[in-house]
Amino acid sequence: MYEFPSNYQPILSARETERAIVSIKEFFQMSLSTELNLTRVTAPLFVPAGTGVNDDLNGIEKPVSFNVPNIGGMKMEIVQSLAKWKRLKVAELGLKPGFGIYTDMNAIRPDETIDAIHSLYVDQWDWELAIDEKDRTVFHLFDIVKKIYSCLKRTEFYIYDRYSMLEPALPEKIQIIYSDDLLAEYPNLTPKEREDKAAETYGAAFIAGIGGRLPDGSIHDGRAPDYDDWISESGDGHVGLNGDLIVWNSVLKRSLEISSMGIRVSPESLALQLKERGCEERAQLAFHKKLLEGGLPSTLGGGIGQSRLCMFLLRKAHIGETQVSVWPESERDACKKAGIPLL
């Protein structure tokens, strides 16, 4: 449960908030596009079921689905993210290493926890970058993380320049920490508590290595086996070529994940990760077969939460202040008592 701040008052009015959301989204996506050489593409809201293209996130979430009578009753699924679709798109466009795509991704995640930072509706910038095989390293991943962080910093100043009451809070540089090192530092804390400690200490951090087994046999957080590469050796004693970008939420006094990203699975790591998760049958799905046969380029990609970024930059106490969704009556009552105006 998230504890709302006492005597909470939004810094911006409802109208100012709506205008600021537009400004943040327009500025950030242009900054991201130019920083990473990304071309904007149009994304699907739903994809055919049974192809392996839709994402299972942690591997257990079930997507919203429906049948289409005019296409022989074909079953469609509302996307939960676009990690695999983007890789197919990069291949289709024939993009060279160093160039990629980004898109507005709107999803429904019916199994999502509903609280101050989670909702059924997900809106994010999904991006995917073609890379050389030699760049399948944590070092290249960290270079991209730093570029994305630069975009966050620029956007923070852009909003401050227009709303002087929203003073910048992000540190000059982002701290990179491996999940196994974080475990060693705080062995008696849960993964979420460890993230809170890291975010409070550094202001902004990239937690590397999400999904693979830690020295104590646990995992920092769940990851599906078929998009990020979280099992292969990275060459420096750690495992995993992915991670989460978190910042310190000074309103809620908790860490806030802004982005998840990683180098995508190779045919070898996909086979290993499917076995690790006990779902080797997925190898027969169309997407997975194409990848295992070497039919997809090496890519690096991720998602950046739009509503969460707006929530952070505008110092909001609830994600419902920067997006419209559906909330349990108990959540609405709690927000009302705390003075939090949901959109």
Side-chain angles (χ1 to χ4, degrees), residues 2-3 5 196 199-200 247-256:
Y2 283 80
E3 291 186 14
D196 289 342
E200 185 176 17
V247 296
W248 178 245
N249 185 325
S250 60
V251 180
L252 293 176
K253 306 300 181 185
R254 302 280 290 272
S255 61
L256 179 68

Side-chain angles (χ1 to χ4, degrees), residues 96-234:
K96 296 179 180 179
F99 296 89
I101 59 174
Y102 81 96
T103 189
D104 276 314
M105 191 280 291
N106 296 289
I108 298 174
R109 296 180 182 173
D111 291 333
E112 187 65 272
T113 301
I114 299 177
D115 56 29
I117 66 169
H118 299 91
S119 73
L120 301 178
Y121 169 64
V122 180
D123 58 337
Q124 64 184 35
W125 290 285
D126 258 350
W127 60 275
E128 200 80 11
L129 190 66
I131 61 173
D132 276 319
E133 277 295 314
K134 64 179 178 60
D135 289 326
R136 290 182 53 81
T137 68
V138 289
F139 309 109
H140 187 63
L141 172 63
F142 295 162
D143 285 342
I144 298 299
V145 169
K146 292 171 185 175
K147 288 183 178 182
I148 291 174
Y149 186 69
S150 294
C151 295
L152 296 180
K153 288 278 292 178
R154 284 198 292 271
T155 307
E156 183 183 50
F157 172 75
Y158 177 80
I159 291 302
Y160 168 64
D161 198 36
R162 283 148 183 78
Y163 303 96
S164 59
M165 64 287 279
L166 296 169
E167 295 189 13
L170 290 172
E172 191 61 31
K173 295 182 179 180
I174 187 169
Q175 181 73 24
I176 293 173
I177 313 169
Y178 287 96
S179 57
D180 49 357
D181 288 337
L182 204 55
L183 170 63
E185 187 172 359
Y186 303 108
N188 297 320
L189 300 183
T190 66
K192 179 57 183 171
E193 290 169 341
R194 297 198 289 268
E195 289 188 4
D196 289 342
K197 284 287 187 181
E200 185 176 17
T201 300
Y202 301 110
F206 183 74
I207 312 298
I210 307 288
R213 292 192 182 279
L214 298 174
D216 67 352
S218 68
I219 59 173
H220 184 82
D221 197 3
R223 282 295 186 276
D226 45 17
Y227 50 100
D228 285 353
D229 190 333
W230 43 255
I231 202 170
S232 64
E233 290 291 339
S234 59

Side-chain angles (χ1 to χ4, degrees), residues 66-86:
F66 60 94
N67 295 95
V68 185
N70 289 331
I71 315 181
M74 180 183 289
K75 185 179 180 180
M76 297 289 181
E77 295 176 347
I78 303 294
V79 298
Q80 296 198 108
S81 89
L82 293 172
K84 291 177 279 187
W85 177 87
K86 289 178 299 177

Side-chain angles (χ1 to χ4, degrees), residues 11-68:
I11 296 174
L12 302 184
S13 68
R15 290 189 67 184
E16 288 174 327
T17 295
E18 294 283 15
R19 290 171 180 168
I21 289 172
V22 173
S23 296
I24 289 171
K25 291 185 176 183
E26 290 180 345
F27 184 88
F28 181 81
Q29 68 183 11
M30 181 57 68
S31 180
L32 181 71
S33 172
T34 53
E35 187 71 45
L36 297 185
N37 299 324
L38 305 176
T39 299
R40 190 187 186 285
V41 299
T42 302
L45 177 60
F46 46 85
V47 294
T51 61
V53 174
N54 203 0
D55 287 319
D56 297 314
L57 306 173
N58 294 320
I60 57 174
E61 293 85 349
K62 301 299 181 184
V64 175
S65 63
F66 60 94
N67 295 95
V68 185

